[in-house]
Amino acid sequence: TQLLEQSPQFLSIQEGENLTVYCNSSSVFSSLQWYRQEPGEGPVLLVTVVTGGEVKKLKRLTFQFGDARKDSSLHITAAQPGDTGLYLCAGHLTNAGKSTFGDGTTLTVKP
Amino acid sequence: DTGVSQNPRHKITKRGQNVTFRCDPISEHNRLYWYRQTLGQGPEFLTYFQNEAQLEKSRLLSDRFSAERPKGSFSTLEIQRTEQGDSAMYLCASSPTWDWGYTFGSGTRLTVV
């Protein structure tokens, strides 16, 4: 079983719509990251959250870390075609040396 | 600093051949990671270094895979006797601390024919 489950796996919406994608686990993380990846390129770090209940905003993107530090969500307001990509969450277990990634949500925003 | 650099970007090789990939991390980052990604999947951990020390290697990694980071600077990942199942994107990343986010390179796309 995957340590991090991301949902939905695929999401296709029209420009201007809002959306939320989820990253869930039964494990507690010391930190959690969200990345965006375009085809043929490496993931690009969007945000790191470390405190339970933390909310971070990056322009139209809002990231929330669950109170128990087991889950996270990414909300995009007024999506644009440039938001199209694979959104990956990655968690860092306490005392673990590396991050574990989910399989991502593929977002397509149609003009 | 131009970020994390990986070479080559693409590699096509015949089954049974050996291949070597190079990663140049951000110079201030002492941690370097190798991940592998196949279509429809998230990156899968292979190994990581702190400075020149290889601190962890995935149990899923066969003995055909080896990585080095001499002098704690660039790193190489070698795959011996390649198999078709090795076809994937190989990603290198670096970070300054153990639990912060990573800066990834653009990856090396390996195709084994």
Side-chain angles (χ1 to χ4, degrees), chain A residues 31 35 37 92 98-99 103, chain B residues 35 37 42 56 98-99 102:
Chain A
S31 70
Y35 295 82
Q37 186 178 24
H92 216 115
K98 80 287 187 182
S99 288
D103 285 336
Chain B
Y35 283 78
Q37 187 178 26
E56 188 175 346
W98 69 276
D99 63 348
Y102 300 163

Side-chain angles (χ1 to χ4, degrees), chain A residues 30-31 33 35 37 40-43 45 48 50 56 86 88 92-103, chain B residues 9 31 33 35 37 40-45 48 56 89 91 97-107 109:
Chain A
S30 62
S31 70
Q33 289 80 37
Y35 295 82
Q37 186 178 24
E41 297 294 329
L45 179 66
T48 294
V50 297
K56 282 192 172 181
L86 176 66
L88 294 159
H92 216 115
L93 296 170
T94 303
N95 296 326
K98 80 287 187 182
S99 288
T100 300
F101 284 78
D103 285 336
Chain B
R9 288 294 310 272
R31 290 186 159 241
Y33 306 83
Y35 283 78
Q37 187 178 26
Q41 305 289 318
E44 173 190 31
F45 171 75
Y48 86 93
E56 188 175 346
M89 173 77 90
L91 294 164
T97 63
W98 69 276
D99 63 348
W100 207 246
Y102 300 163
T103 302
F104 279 90
S106 296
R109 169 73 64 187

Side-chain angles (χ1 to χ4, degrees), chain B residues 63-96:
Chain B
D63 291 341
R64 297 183 297 105
F65 288 72
S66 62
E68 294 183 340
R69 193 183 182 195
K71 303 179 182 178
S73 56
F74 72 92
S75 176
T76 59
L77 177 68
E78 181 183 18
I79 308 174
Q80 296 182 327
R81 304 180 303 281
T82 53
E83 302 172 355
Q84 285 190 321
D86 297 331
S87 295
M89 173 77 90
Y90 289 83
L91 294 164
C92 176
S94 67
S95 71

Side-chain angles (χ1 to χ4, degrees), chain A residues 2-14:
Chain A
Q2 282 275 76
L3 183 63
L4 284 165
E5 297 284 347
Q6 291 193 245
S7 61
Q9 187 177 359
F10 298 96
L11 187 57
S12 180
I13 61 171
Q14 292 295 134

